[in-house]
Amino acid sequence: MLHHSVNLWNLAFYALMVFMATLGLWDVFFGFEENKCSMSYMFEYPEYQKIELPKKLAKRYPAYELYLYGEGSYAEEHKVLPLTGIPVLFLPGNAGSYKQVRSIGSIALRKAEDIDFKYHFDFFSVNFNEELVALYGGSLQKQTKFVHECIKTILKLYKGQEFAPKSVAIIGHSMGGLVARALLTLKNFKQDLINLLVTQATPHVAPVMPLDRFITDFYMTVNNYWILNARQINLTTLSVAGGFRDYQVRSGLTFLPKLSHHTSALSVVSSAVPKTWVSTDHLSIVWCKQLQLTTIRAFFDLIDADTKQITQNPKKKLLVLNHHFIRHPAKHFEENPAIISDLTGTSMWVPVKVSKWTYVAYNESDKIYFTFPLANHRKIYTHVYCQSTMLDTNSWIFGCINSTSMCRQGVDLSWKAELLPTIKSLTLRLQDYPSLSHLVVYVPSIHGSKFVVDCEFFKKETRSIQLPVTHLFSFGLSSRKVILNTSGLFYNIELLNFGQIYQAFKINVVSKCSGAKEEITSIYKLHIPWSYEDSLTIAQVPSSTDISVKLHIAQPDNDSHVALLKMYTSSDCQYEVTVKTSFSQILGQVVRFHGGALPAYVISSILLAYGGQLYSLFSTGHCLEYAAMLDKEAKPYKVDPFVIMVKFLLGYKWFKELWDMLLLPELDAIVLTSQSMCFPLVSLILFLFGTCTAYWGGLLSSTSVRLLSSLWLALKRPSELPKDIKIISPDLPILTTVLILISWTTCGAFAILLTYLYYVFKIVHLQASLTTFKNSQTVNPKHSRRSEKKSNHHKDSAVHHLRLSASDAEDSLCMHSTLINLLTWIVLLSMPSLIYWLKNLRYYFKLNPDPCKPLAFFLIPTMAVLGNTYTTSIKSSKLLKTTSQFPLPLAVGVIAFGSSHLYRVPCFVFIPLLLHALCNFM
């Protein structure tokens, strides 16, 4: 067990690791913007009408159901089937409820009411019994097959209607989105049954926590199918991520793979979605009013007026999704917009010859066209920028071709504008429009409204400013700064050398304004050109504004674009932009991208300490305490160099062929590299965090055993140390058989937990016996010494009837302390399937498939034997030296093959435990 005297340097190191880990965890769980999502409300009482399924189907899937969402009169009318609308199927995710459909269903109903039910959507939702499919993958295939049956059932509800649908749209939240993608892998599934797939916070790339092989196999099947059949898959798919507020599913996992021949997929972060511009957490993404409004607007724009169903035209689908989710021009969607517009009617034409112009419109009685001749400006400037604070959807900026002062028709440039929270803006490169003679800005006649229109011509080099980011290891002690002195409206700050996920910065923008009478708003937009993960910050100037800068997706190797901070500024203000490295956010990125691998590093550290204890027992006859051995043996240089060397050798063809010949799985480090997730020194950081966790975990388990033994002594009479050590007690075979039967007939994780509790009970009993012995030694030291000598005499004279001395008991407790830590992690990693089994116990008594059953079959007898194992019974074993050498290569194996596949880790732990148990007999 852990001694009270702990090396102060080690304690300081472990405390430092706790502090660093706390910084990283704080950044992940609290270091983001406040929730700016508006709550979506139902205007009438929501109702969920259960759809009757065929009896065979209901019997095959007793835990699953299908519902139709409705409110008020709509719900009453649709209690009598068939239906007449456009079917949309909502699939909840991990532990998700079918009732989560109400937010988007209610908004769609209100939108349909606004257009007098010319079109309307029928929202269906599947009840998956709130299964924990992110933790247990055994039911994912079952859910996929049930959804297929639901789609066929839904389409039958429209049979005989004039505009009967032939397909459904699917909205999948979290793992529900993955289940929707998995439909295409079913043998009898017709791709035409789905016309659109929208996923919300769905981890498409890999599971968040790969806790069993069923999850990883499911992912591999789905992703391989989509990659290999990309040319045949014409399903338009939109994936929306929540941003940094979603700490359950990081946004990098939600991006669908980009394939050159698969252009019907879009991936975007909610903070970049026009008219949304907020980050959402994992649950609020289904009720965030801004995002759901955007989704419903897109759905209504997707309707084909002829069929009164969602269009089958893939080009139109992508145009609509791009319009609403990528770049909104502040105009209503039009499939074929009129490029040439008539500029007629009673209006004033006002020529503007200056390079910078501002017009404040208030209660305008006449329409005004402001014309900017481009001929002279082309000689001096490269670009023109215009913005308007009037956020209506009418055309507002045009280009005249070969005109003198006015034109009857103009090129509508409004479609190239971009909508922002407080303005709509347009930037044009003049050389791209050589045929334009004039730029025309239209100001409509308005009453009671006030808005501002600005235009300016500029040279690109005066508005593009390079700002190299600070070095990763500057730890925020140094900074770089630029000052914007010119009175421009728009600036591009190029963030040089920024493109990796381990980089994180804090940008501070200080604005100082002169002569500003009214409140001025500036917009700072972080633009990431290689992925749609932009974020906006709105600041009231003058002010000091902090912006967090970090990535969800690393810059691809073949991409040369530069990340930009786009600043929409006021000409009356001066701006000072400072960038410096944020150490806490770097640690946050480590936790965010690699926190799931921490259990593997913890177990690797414990295995190294375990191997050291076994070798100490072999060489000296005594077992050192867990904390001392952890400090001595748990060194990263014993593990990392081997993983790095193997990764390097796998780059050679001959070694890769040898690797494949031995049927070895892919190295986890290579998997991380393929996902652009390799941090410098990340393995070292994780190993240090793992060692720290192993230390504090050992302290906790040691303290718990002491407290439980004290409780045992308070409730029971004092125990004595065992007089005869029996490895196989009479009741052990019966207990082992019962536990194996439990694992076979119910749940393997349940049997492992019961065996673990039996093991802990044995150790608590041993601790209580040792405490009783020490207390009696204090009271009667002469008697205790005689007892110890007698015990040692028996140990020497009777090999088959070993007696346990106090020193042997202490050694055994040191060894058991390490074993408890290892077994605790095995139990924790098997808990998800146990929780799933308990939750579904009313439907299924036996968990099938059971990821822990094979492990339980071998681990239960091993743990049962180890519960009766003492150091005195194995120190003379011929197998002990070999056993002590196994934990080191297995610790390497845990990191090499278990950091991204946690379900493999218990297999590596089981091997030395089995050898340890066999030492009792060899």
Side-chain angles (χ1 to χ4, degrees):
M1 291 299 202
L2 295 173
H3 287 171
H4 295 292
S5 57
V6 179
N7 186 303
L8 290 179
W9 284 109
N10 292 343
L11 196 59
F13 166 75
Y14 293 132
L16 175 64
M17 288 297 102
V18 168
F19 174 72
M20 290 175 62
T22 303
L23 282 179
L25 289 169
W26 185 91
D27 179 71
V28 171
F29 293 106
F30 305 103
F32 41 69
E33 65 180 54
E34 62 181 12
N35 193 351
K36 297 177 182 177
C37 277
S38 300
M39 177 65 79
S40 51
Y41 294 97
M42 285 80 252
F43 289 88
E44 296 177 278
Y45 191 78
E47 293 187 33
Y48 305 90
Q49 180 183 347
K50 187 176 178 181
I51 303 298
E52 189 174 347
L53 300 172
K55 290 183 179 179
K56 286 184 178 180
L57 190 62
K59 188 175 181 180
R60 197 187 316 158
Y61 305 100
Y64 300 161
E65 296 168 323
L66 177 65
Y67 288 88
L68 171 65
Y69 176 80
E71 294 177 18
S73 58
Y74 170 87
E76 288 297 322
E77 291 172 8
H78 289 80
K79 283 182 178 178
V80 180
L81 304 174
L83 303 172
T84 58
I86 304 168
V88 180
L89 179 60
F90 176 80
L91 304 180
N94 177 59
S97 168
Y98 67 95
K99 294 183 179 181
Q100 289 173 313
V101 72
R102 63 183 176 269
S103 295
I104 194 165
S106 181
I107 290 172
L109 189 57
R110 302 283 85 77
K111 178 76 171 175
E113 287 177 348
D114 291 343
I115 58 174
D116 295 325
F117 284 93
K118 180 182 178 182
Y119 309 113
H120 74 273
F121 289 90
D122 299 319
F123 275 83
F124 298 86
S125 184
V126 174
N127 178 16
F128 285 135
N129 192 34
E130 300 184 12
E131 289 181 335
L132 302 171
V133 286
L135 303 178
Y136 168 74
S139 62
L140 284 168
Q141 191 67 22
K142 184 169 60 176
Q143 286 191 1
T144 305
K145 291 178 179 178
F146 180 73
V147 171
H148 183 199
E149 298 297 332
C150 285
I151 292 172
K152 292 189 286 187
T153 301
I154 289 169
L155 293 178
K156 287 178 183 177
L157 299 177
Y158 296 85
K159 204 168 183 181
Q161 297 301 306
E162 182 181 359
F163 299 101
K166 297 178 181 178
S167 57
V168 302
I170 294 181
I171 299 176
H173 173 238
S174 188
M175 295 297 286
L178 186 70
V179 168
R181 286 180 64 216
L183 285 167
L184 275 64
T185 65
L186 297 178
K187 288 182 179 179
N188 300 321
F189 185 79
K190 296 178 181 178
Q191 191 183 136
D192 296 339
L193 291 177
I194 309 176
N195 52 48
L196 177 69
L197 173 58
V198 177
T199 67
Q200 299 173 336
T202 295
H204 292 293
V205 177
V208 177
M209 292 289 283
L211 294 172
D212 66 54
R213 63 181 177 84
F214 304 122
I215 294 179
T216 54
D217 289 349
F218 189 81
Y219 265 90
M220 190 177 296
T221 301
V222 173
N223 286 331
N224 285 348
Y225 181 89
W226 277 64
I227 291 171
L228 295 174
N229 298 277
R231 294 184 187 276
Q232 290 76 41
I233 295 175
N234 56 8
L235 173 60
T236 303
T237 307
L238 171 70
S239 175
V240 183
F244 288 108
R245 279 193 64 84
D246 189 350
Y247 51 78
Q248 294 185 44
V249 176
R250 62 177 179 84
S251 296
L253 291 176
T254 68
F255 279 65
L256 292 159
K258 289 183 178 179
L259 301 173
S260 58
H261 48 276
H262 187 203
T263 56
S264 58
L266 286 175
S267 302
V268 62
V269 179
S270 61
S271 59
V273 175
K275 295 191 175 185
T276 301
W277 296 307
V278 296
S279 177
T280 66
D281 60 53
H282 196 63
L283 291 179
S284 69
I285 198 168
V286 299
W287 57 254
C288 181
K289 187 176 180 180
Q290 295 96 311
L291 183 59
Q292 302 310 326
L293 281 170
T294 299
T295 305
I296 290 304
R297 291 188 198 107
F299 270 48
F300 274 88
D301 282 342
L302 285 165
I303 297 174
D304 187 319
D306 295 329
T307 64
K308 295 191 177 182
Q309 296 293 326
I310 288 180
T311 180
Q312 296 298 319
N313 184 347
K315 184 179 178 182
K316 180 181 177 180
K317 290 179 190 176
L318 280 177
L319 285 173
V320 171
L321 295 180
N322 273 286
H323 178 93
H324 288 283
F325 288 91
I326 305 299
R327 185 185 178 92
H328 199 296
K331 287 181 68 65
H332 291 306
F333 173 79
E334 293 179 30
E335 186 175 359
N336 298 302
I339 301 300
I340 304 298
S341 297
D342 293 328
L343 307 179
T344 56
T346 306
S347 55
M348 296 173 58
W349 287 79
V350 180
V352 180
K353 296 183 179 181
V354 294
S355 61
K356 185 174 180 181
W357 168 83
T358 299
Y359 183 78
V360 179
Y362 183 68
N363 279 340
E364 299 293 331
S365 57
D366 298 317
K367 301 175 183 177
I368 307 175
Y369 288 104
F370 293 93
T371 62
F372 299 79
L374 300 179
N376 291 330
H377 290 311
R378 291 184 195 278
K379 299 174 183 178
I380 306 172
Y381 305 107
T382 60
H383 289 70
V384 60
Y385 170 81
C386 292
Q387 67 180 34
S388 172
T389 60
M390 187 174 184
L391 303 181
D392 65 346
T393 57
N394 295 318
S395 296
W396 63 286
I397 190 163
F398 307 88
C400 287
I401 300 174
N402 299 325
S403 174
T404 52
S405 60
M406 60 181 288
C407 56
R408 292 183 178 276
Q409 290 185 323
V411 178
D412 191 349
L413 299 173
S414 307
W415 290 102
K416 298 187 180 295
E418 180 182 13
L419 178 65
L420 294 167
T422 58
I423 60 172
K424 51 186 178 183
S425 68
L426 173 70
T427 304
L428 296 178
R429 191 169 67 164
L430 295 177
Q431 71 178 53
D432 293 341
Y433 301 89
S435 61
L436 296 185
S437 60
H438 288 72
L439 188 70
V440 179
V441 174
Y442 171 61
V443 175
S445 60
I446 55 171
H447 298 282
S449 297
K450 181 179 179 180
F451 66 95
V452 181
V453 185
D454 299 275
C455 284
E456 64 174 349
F457 292 85
F458 62 89
K459 288 183 179 179
K460 182 184 177 182
E461 55 268 23
T462 63
R463 302 302 170 86
S464 295
I465 300 168
Q466 294 184 339
L467 179 60
V469 297
T470 48
H471 194 270
L472 177 68
F473 296 110
S474 63
F475 299 109
L477 301 176
S478 63
S479 63
R480 292 193 173 122
K481 181 189 300 183
V482 293
I483 298 175
L484 312 180
N485 283 317
T486 58
S487 57
L489 297 170
F490 174 77
Y491 293 91
N492 271 335
I493 308 295
E494 298 180 0
L495 302 176
L496 302 181
N497 308 318
F498 173 51
Q500 301 301 323
I501 53 176
Y502 54 79
Q503 293 176 293
F505 307 95
K506 183 173 284 187
I507 290 181
N508 178 252
V509 181
V510 177
S511 55
K512 300 175 182 178
C513 304
S514 58
K517 297 179 182 179
E518 297 182 2
E519 192 176 69
I520 303 171
T521 301
S522 291
I523 300 174
Y524 312 132
K525 179 180 180 180
L526 178 65
H527 175 59
I528 308 301
W530 55 85
S531 65
Y532 298 119
E533 54 176 284
D534 297 1
S535 58
L536 282 79
T537 303
I538 302 173
Q540 302 298 330
V541 295
S543 63
S544 176
T545 305
D546 287 329
I547 305 170
S548 293
V549 178
K550 51 198 174 191
L551 295 173
H552 298 292
I553 297 285
Q555 186 173 15
D557 294 334
N558 58 354
D559 193 298
S560 59
H561 292 93
V562 179
L564 300 174
L565 179 64
K566 293 186 173 185
M567 300 182 63
Y568 300 86
T569 56
S570 170
S571 57
D572 298 323
C573 301
Q574 175 184 315
Y575 295 82
E576 182 180 278
V577 183
T578 306
V579 60
K580 62 180 179 180
T581 300
S582 174
F583 182 61
S584 63
Q585 290 188 69
I586 290 173
L587 292 174
Q589 290 291 81
V590 172
V591 174
R592 184 175 286 109
F593 282 83
H594 292 278
L598 185 62
Y601 284 87
V602 176
I603 291 170
S604 180
S605 296
I606 300 173
L607 279 173
L608 291 173
Y610 180 40
Q613 283 183 320
L614 289 170
Y615 187 76
S616 169
L617 186 63
F618 166 74
S619 57
T620 66
H622 290 284
C623 181
L624 297 181
E625 67 169 7
Y626 171 71
M629 197 53 70
L630 189 69
D631 177 52
K632 181 181 177 182
E633 297 293 335
K635 305 297 182 185
Y637 61 77
K638 293 185 175 183
V639 174
D640 282 344
F642 292 99
V643 178
I644 294 169
M645 183 174 65
V646 171
K647 181 184 173 184
F648 172 76
L649 289 173
L650 281 169
Y652 292 95
K653 186 178 179 181
W654 65 270
F655 190 81
K656 183 69 169 68
E657 289 175 350
L658 178 63
W659 188 272
D660 294 338
M661 193 184 302
L662 295 172
L663 301 178
L664 292 172
E666 190 174 25
L667 202 67
D668 280 1
I670 293 177
V671 175
L672 296 178
T673 303
S674 67
Q675 297 175 8
S676 301
M677 282 177 55
C678 280
F679 283 38
L681 306 178
V682 68
S683 189
L684 173 62
I685 295 171
L686 287 173
F687 195 94
L688 296 178
F689 283 174
T691 305
C692 170
T693 307
Y695 170 77
W696 293 110
L699 186 64
L700 178 64
S701 65
S702 174
T703 305
S704 299
V705 168
R706 290 179 183 275
L707 289 174
L708 288 172
S709 66
S710 300
L711 182 63
W712 175 264
L713 289 174
L715 297 175
K716 301 280 288 184
R717 66 175 186 169
S719 313
E720 294 183 358
L721 291 173
K723 294 181 179 179
D724 294 317
I725 298 174
K726 294 180 180 179
I727 306 303
I728 306 295
S729 58
D731 59 340
L732 194 62
I734 299 172
L735 178 64
T736 303
T737 304
V738 169
L739 289 170
I740 289 175
L741 282 173
I742 290 174
S743 72
W744 194 261
T745 56
T746 58
C747 173
F750 179 54
I752 290 174
L753 177 62
L754 292 177
T755 313
Y756 171 77
L757 294 175
Y758 165 78
Y759 179 84
V760 170
F761 167 76
K762 296 289 290 186
I763 307 314
V764 168
H765 188 269
L766 178 61
Q767 176 69 59
S769 301
L770 181 61
T771 303
T772 302
F773 179 82
K774 287 183 176 180
N775 291 339
S776 65
Q777 188 180 31
T778 304
V779 175
N780 193 353
K782 291 184 179 180
H783 175 74
S784 300
R785 280 196 293 271
R786 282 197 302 270
S787 300
E788 179 124 8
K789 286 179 182 178
K790 190 177 180 181
S791 172
N792 290 332
H793 171 73
H794 275 279
K795 195 192 316 181
D796 295 334
S797 59
V799 177
H800 297 292
H801 299 282
L802 296 172
R803 288 179 62 86
L804 192 66
S805 67
S807 62
D808 286 332
E810 288 183 343
D811 282 351
S812 298
L813 283 171
C814 286
M815 182 67 73
H816 284 302
S817 174
T818 306
L819 290 176
I820 281 181
N821 288 322
L822 280 175
L823 294 172
T824 299
W825 280 100
I826 290 180
V827 170
L828 288 175
L829 290 175
S830 65
M831 276 295 101
S833 62
L834 174 61
I835 295 170
Y836 179 90
W837 173 72
L838 289 172
K839 197 171 184 303
N840 290 274
L841 198 54
R842 56 178 173 162
Y843 300 109
Y844 314 105
F845 186 72
K846 181 179 180 180
L847 182 62
N848 186 34
D850 188 347
C852 296
K853 186 177 291 182
L855 176 67
F857 188 77
F858 296 102
L859 188 61
I860 288 170
T862 303
M863 289 172 65
V865 171
L866 288 175
N868 287 340
T869 298
Y870 303 93
T871 53
T872 187
S873 63
I874 66 168
K875 64 175 64 175
S876 59
S877 171
K878 297 177 181 178
L879 193 60
L880 182 58
K881 183 178 180 180
T882 304
T883 303
S884 67
Q885 294 169 345
F886 263 79
L888 174 58
L890 292 171
V892 176
V894 165
I895 302 303
F897 302 109
S899 55
S900 293
H901 299 81
L902 291 176
Y903 63 90
R904 294 173 180 166
V905 171
C907 300
F908 288 96
V909 176
F910 165 71
I911 295 171
L913 296 182
L914 176 62
L915 292 173
H916 187 166
L918 291 175
C919 285
N920 289 284
F921 310 103
M922 299 175 68

